[in-house]
Amino acid sequence: MLFHPRIFDSFKGYNRTLLIKDVLAGITVGIVALPLAMAFAIASGLKPETGIFTAIVAGGLISLLGGSRVQIGGPAGAFIVIVYGIVEHYGVANLLVATAMSGVFLLLMGIFRLGTLVRFIPVAVIIGFTNGIAVLIGLSQIKDFFGLSIDKMPAEFFQAIQALYQAADTVNPTALAIACGSLAIIIVWKLIQRHLGWFSHLPGTVVAMVAATIITSLLNLPIDTIGTRFGGIPSSLPHLEWLPISWSTAQFMIAPALTLALLGAIESLLCARIADGLIHDRHESNQELMAQGIANIVSPFFGGMPATGTIARTVTNIESGGTTPLAGIVHSLTLLLVILFAAPLAKNIPLASLAAILMYVAWNMGEWKKFVDLKQFRLPYRLTILSVFILTVVLDLTVAVQVGLLSAFITFIYRISSLSRCEPADPNLFPELNQHRGQIDAYRIYGAIFFGAVKLLEKIEENLPSRTLILDLKNVIYIDTSGMETLAELTHLCKIRNITLIICGLDHQPYEMAQRSAYLESIKPDCLYPDLSSGIAAAIAN
């Protein structure tokens, strides 16, 4: 079935116990999502309510329509760098347009069953840009972490470094103390949960945010808060607004929208695969992409930013006992209730505390051990990871992914072509060839005959026998159009020189390719033999 959300299959054998678990898990995830949603939005150059509205609208739709039972959707740290750049260069209105366009792309990816193709992106590319994004997130939070006096952080790496350097003497000791204290609370709380098992369902990020907010309010500390910078959070429902879409602006947003769609697809499907391993289930990738697409189409009309599957909140959902998409829906409703009844309390949340939370998220987001273990990998793998990482940090994520994919594809082609080989038939196995040396030559070809390995056949052309050429293709697993054309050229050259060409072991995909390319029609039927032994016997008999 083309469109079949997992929620339809999630309530078989459902009971009150599972309902309670889902509701409690949803409330827990909603509490976890609150500081993260605000922090991601602020770091992206948006108002804090943008992140909450995204978690409510997009998060609810992803759970309702998705292809995973437990995945939680919403704003993600991976989008911060891209969203900030779009806001910086094109404005918030065009970000909403780009988000909706990325949703269309994601929806089409799901409709055309492209979910499995995302898995073909090499791990080296994913690690490189994930670590690069983590560095950029950490860099973007230095301003609020240290309380620096910078009006607006530039989107470009070198300009950001310059702005931080010029403002290095404006450190706010109070903001730095709140940030360090928040970070310490998160780390210590995590250690308590891990080693003592206390407060397992209460996230350290929430504890740190609440503690920092209480201290800031009681002591009236001179630091930036959500209230001083953004005027607080509105205590009302997100309302529908039509997007100012026009072709003159939309055409410039195609590239950013494609970047958002690609990153969203990668993030959501990676998250779903991690969730599968934890609950021993299997998600439907194309349904998940369609749900992500619909969520990103709808979310901008309510002032939302791009959304995708989120690993931290999904794992929290699973660890809290969530078993069906109902938990994700409850998570959205929890955030909605927070907006309606507790929004005024958010005005005293210090931005230094949110910066510390994002620093912690960025550190856990990166796979830093992979950099330590680089020496055990081959040089091409190392170059791919490092090039994608450096380009993500210094230039642009789109360029980094393009270069990384190109590098990975070239490396793959080289490796596959090096595995393909052509060897003369062993005279010890076929002693009759010794009596006809120079007249009858037999070769065995292994691997794939594709555009990167056609040189195997071209080398045979340089040393053709005088009477019969035998090619054993039994161990050829794949042949492409370039390989087929090279084989046809070799056949034509043999005809010109009046040399008999015998093909042995042509089977499966190579045989189908020979049929489709009309190669079989260009040779005589008695030139095909099932194995090398019969081919050599026929050549000697003739």
Side-chain angles (χ1 to χ4, degrees):
M1 187 179 294
L2 179 62
F3 191 85
H4 188 76
R6 285 299 297 274
I7 195 170
F8 293 158
D9 306 320
S10 299
F11 297 111
K12 296 176 181 178
Y14 202 67
N15 53 43
R16 182 180 178 184
T17 302
L18 294 177
L19 173 62
I20 294 173
K21 284 186 176 181
D22 280 339
V23 171
L24 292 177
I27 294 173
T28 302
V29 177
I31 295 172
V32 172
L34 180 62
L36 295 178
M38 290 189 294
F40 291 153
I42 293 170
S44 301
L46 303 169
K47 294 181 178 180
E49 62 265 25
T50 302
I52 300 178
F53 289 166
T54 304
I56 293 172
V57 178
L61 287 173
I62 288 171
S63 294
L64 182 65
L65 306 175
S68 171
R69 289 195 293 112
V70 294
Q71 176 144 285
I72 303 295
F79 283 130
I80 290 175
V81 178
I82 302 173
V83 173
Y84 189 89
I86 294 174
V87 172
E88 181 82 3
H89 293 101
Y90 302 102
V92 176
N94 285 323
L95 168 67
L96 300 179
V97 174
T99 302
M101 291 173 64
S102 72
V104 173
F105 292 140
L106 283 166
L107 180 61
L108 292 175
M109 289 170 65
I111 291 174
F112 290 104
R113 324 305 288 172
L114 300 181
T116 54
L117 294 182
V118 177
R119 298 183 180 183
F120 293 161
I121 297 178
V123 174
V125 175
I126 294 174
I127 292 173
F129 78 65
T130 300
N131 287 9
I133 289 172
V135 168
L136 290 175
I137 292 173
L139 180 68
S140 69
Q141 296 309 300
I142 292 178
K143 170 181 175 291
D144 288 326
F145 194 94
F146 289 89
L148 302 178
S149 298
I150 301 175
D151 292 334
K152 188 173 181 61
M153 279 289 291
E156 292 76 16
F157 174 75
F158 292 109
Q159 286 87 331
I161 294 293
Q162 183 179 10
L164 292 172
Y165 176 76
Q166 292 175 346
D169 58 347
T170 64
V171 175
N172 184 333
T174 306
L176 180 59
I178 289 293
C180 291
S182 299
L183 193 58
I185 289 174
I186 295 172
I187 295 172
V188 171
W189 195 266
K190 191 70 176 178
L191 292 174
I192 291 174
Q193 289 177 325
R194 181 180 301 170
H195 297 291
L196 300 178
W198 298 349
F199 313 110
S200 59
H201 294 307
L202 186 59
T205 52
V206 175
V207 175
M209 184 187 71
V210 171
T213 302
I214 293 174
I215 293 173
T216 302
S217 301
L218 292 177
L219 302 180
N220 195 23
L221 298 179
I223 58 177
D224 283 342
T225 64
I226 287 180
T228 60
R229 184 174 297 181
F230 303 102
I233 296 176
S235 55
S236 59
L237 295 172
H239 55 280
L240 178 66
E241 289 186 4
W242 293 106
L243 301 182
I245 300 176
S246 65
W247 174 246
S248 60
T249 57
Q251 61 182 328
F252 296 108
M253 305 312 299
I254 292 177
L258 282 171
T259 303
L260 290 173
L262 179 61
L263 184 57
I266 294 171
E267 281 287 306
S268 63
L269 297 185
L270 278 178
C271 178
R273 288 175 64 184
I274 292 172
D276 288 348
L278 294 174
I279 65 174
H280 307 292
D281 191 24
R282 181 166 295 180
H283 73 282
E284 215 298 303
S285 56
N286 295 305
Q287 179 63 42
E288 188 63 32
L289 288 180
M290 286 189 281
Q292 300 282 343
I294 294 172
N296 281 281
I297 292 172
V298 175
S299 177
F301 287 93
F302 293 91
M305 61 189 290
T308 186
T310 57
I311 295 175
R313 277 157 276 176
T314 298
V315 173
T316 301
N317 180 38
I318 296 170
E319 291 178 347
S320 301
T323 57
T324 72
L326 182 62
I329 297 172
V330 172
H331 133 269
S332 297
L333 294 176
T334 301
L335 289 171
L336 183 60
L337 292 175
V338 169
I339 281 285
L340 293 177
F341 299 107
L345 301 177
K347 66 179 182 180
N348 290 324
I349 296 176
L351 298 181
S353 179
L354 294 180
I357 291 172
L358 277 182
M359 288 278 197
Y360 180 77
V361 170
W363 175 257
N364 285 280
M365 178 181 173
E367 297 188 50
W368 312 112
K369 289 184 179 180
K370 297 293 184 182
F371 282 171
V372 178
D373 297 334
L374 273 180
K375 58 185 179 181
Q376 70 182 12
F377 297 109
R378 291 179 176 271
L379 180 61
Y381 185 91
R382 281 181 268 173
L383 290 177
T384 300
I385 286 184
L386 293 176
S387 63
V388 174
F389 172 75
I390 294 171
L391 290 172
T392 299
V393 173
V394 175
L395 289 180
D396 178 70
L397 177 65
T398 306
V399 175
V401 172
Q402 290 172 349
V403 171
L405 288 176
L406 179 61
S407 172
F409 291 157
I410 292 174
T411 301
F412 176 77
I413 291 169
Y414 173 77
R415 292 291 298 159
I416 293 298
S417 63
S418 66
L419 294 176
S420 300
R421 67 186 193 276
C422 178
E423 299 176 350
D426 189 349
N428 295 322
L429 297 176
F430 305 99
E432 57 267 40
L433 288 175
N434 292 323
Q435 302 173 9
H436 301 274
R437 185 169 297 174
Q439 296 179 328
I440 301 175
D441 285 349
Y443 295 91
R444 278 182 158 165
I445 301 178
Y446 299 83
I449 306 176
F450 68 112
F451 63 89
V454 293
K455 61 183 179 180
L456 299 177
L457 297 180
E458 293 173 351
K459 287 184 178 180
I460 296 176
E461 294 179 2
E462 300 172 1
N463 299 288
L464 290 175
S466 61
R467 200 175 87 188
T468 305
L469 173 65
I470 305 172
L471 297 180
D472 181 15
L473 306 182
K474 181 180 180 181
N475 297 297
V476 173
I477 59 174
Y478 174 78
I479 184 168
D480 70 351
T481 304
S482 298
M484 211 68 242
E485 289 180 356
T486 307
L487 183 59
E489 291 173 4
L490 177 60
T491 304
H492 181 68
L493 183 60
C494 287
K495 285 183 179 179
I496 293 175
R497 298 188 183 182
N498 199 27
I499 299 172
T500 300
L501 176 64
I502 293 178
I503 305 293
C504 303
L506 190 65
D507 202 3
H508 302 301
Q509 189 274 343
Y511 185 82
E512 294 176 3
M513 189 66 183
Q515 279 185 317
R516 284 190 279 116
S517 63
Y519 174 75
L520 295 181
E521 299 174 6
S522 67
I523 61 176
K524 298 178 181 179
D526 59 355
C527 291
L528 295 175
Y529 291 87
D531 53 54
L532 185 57
S533 298
S534 57
I536 293 175
I540 294 175
N542 294 330

